Amino acid sequence: MRDRKNNNIVKSVGILTVLMIASKVISLVREMAIAVFFGVTSGTDAYFVAGGFITNIFFGITAALAATFVPFYIETKVIKGEKETYRICSSLFTALSVFAVIIIIVLYIGAPFISKFIAPSYTGEALYEVVLYMRIYSLTILFSLLTSMLTSILNAESVYGYGALASLIYSITSIVCMVLLKKYIGVTALAISVPLSFFFQLTILLIKTRKFIHYRPTIHIFTPELKSLLLLMLPVLLGNATIELNQLITRTITSGTGTGAVSVLSYSNTLFNFVSTLISTTIITVYYTEFSSAAAEDEKKYNSLVSYALRIIIVVLLPISVISSIFSKDIVTIAFGRGQFDQDAIRATATCLSVYSIAFVFDSIRNLLIRAYYAKKQTKIPMINSCISLVITASTANVLSKRLGVTGVVISIVISIIIASIILLIIARKRLCVISLREMMPTFIKAVLSATIMAIGLWTMNIAMTGMLSYLRITLATIAGLAVYIILLLLMRCSEVLDILSLLKKEIKSQN
């Protein structure tokens, strides 16, 4: 039974990984297109500031909904049945729509005042662009909230991949809008593409979720179930708002360090998300559903799942961190090094990516543990942890940015991620579940030792391959580095790698 369950998890992770790779590649192409078409200018700064505000503050609501709705939906369907679940979901759908429309109206009216607050150094045309992009971007809130709810329903039903599909639609829509409209309206084409893409996503999800939920508009939106969900969401919302406020603070501080600095921060953050979440998001998405089910059924199974998922995160992300740190300039060159993206922008972004790579494992551990808390409907501790991260970032970013510019801001972000993840892990061992250090340490030691030997080899390769094309350098480094890392783990009998290989062999045999 356990092998069958693990096999299903591996299969789900595999399918989701393929979809995520496709979405991330297209997403990276989108960022490359932005860099080529617009470069690092005051216009892109205005776009990233406006979009960052909407995303970081109000999309925290979306993240809170996604985090709490999966266990809420599973429990409701098990206890109250399908018919009652339909009614509750219809009420929530209507309530979210009404709430989003109100927020959009408030944002449209208040955009000039908000823009002056989040970009205090901007004046004239730059400030006007922030206001314009914020008003256009705000339309996304309605579609984003509803797509988050529908995607959570599919995840709860173990139908994965539609989050990755949404990202594909978003990136493709952005690229098409840039190609067709850039000549006429410039960076505004990017802003228009965002709500348009979310509208397409919502349409697809409405069709797909009809298999599980039948929506009926209703005026009875303030139901007891909705109030219960809101109470569950509140600490998550505050925690997410704190995380997003953290990013808003870093963007605001960065905007005062020079023209193009916000764009450099955004481009390096894009690569950080591409490299780290490509793997960790797929693992966390699948395991979150398993956590939610196990939390209500079997405490021992829940503990085992959390501990095992943590070990998988460490084993998988350590080599990615090493490669990204040593070959950061090659990665940035391949991603953005063309058109208006000059050598100065490449160097600045590569430096930021090298710093970011230190946090890959810690960030993924933190996100996994947060989902483990949410699965048990414990939402206060992640909120407090987010507040700690905010305090650390706010207290260090302003000081470091004055000395190191945008690199100092990234260093402050990494410091806060590392400290917050360690604190969350310590508290989790005492108050959430049994995480055996005796089981964790052998895997950790083997992974660190293998990654260290891999890093020495790659550093030597980096020097030896001076003058080669970036594409060739990164390809050879990735193949050689991962080969060394995996072989060393196999020689040391790393159980997680052996489990994955065993399950893959069984899956291949079952397909033949």
Side-chain angles (χ1 to χ4, degrees), residues 36 50 118 132 197 203 255 264 373 402 430 432 454 465 499:
V36 170
I118 64 175
L132 174 63
S197 68
T203 302
S255 67
V264 168
Y373 274 101
K402 292 177 181 178
K430 295 181 179 180
L432 180 67
M454 169 189 170
M465 293 189 298
D499 286 347

Side-chain angles (χ1 to χ4, degrees), residues 318-324 326-327 447-461 477-478 480-486 488:
L318 266 178
I320 297 175
S321 178
V322 171
I323 294 172
S324 300
I326 297 176
F327 292 91
V448 169
L449 181 59
S450 299
T452 301
I453 296 173
M454 169 189 170
I456 295 172
L458 289 182
W459 187 267
T460 304
M461 285 185 65
T478 301
L482 291 180
V484 169
Y485 181 77
I486 293 172
L488 288 173

Side-chain angles (χ1 to χ4, degrees), residues 139-155:
L139 298 174
T140 313
I141 294 173
L142 171 62
F143 306 129
S144 176
L145 281 172
L146 299 179
T147 55
S148 177
M149 173 187 169
L150 302 185
T151 302
S152 296
I153 290 174
L154 293 178
N155 286 341

Side-chain angles (χ1 to χ4, degrees), residues 12 14 28 55 57 84 106 133 136 138 162 190 219 247 260 274 299 319 336 348 353 363 418 481 488 502-503:
S12 297
L28 188 57
T55 301
I57 299 300
E84 187 67 8
V106 171
Y133 300 151
I136 296 173
S138 66
Y162 280 85
L190 277 174
I219 60 173
Q247 296 186 22
F274 176 83
E299 183 72 16
F336 305 126
L353 178 60
D363 185 59
I418 293 173
L488 288 173
S502 177
L503 292 171

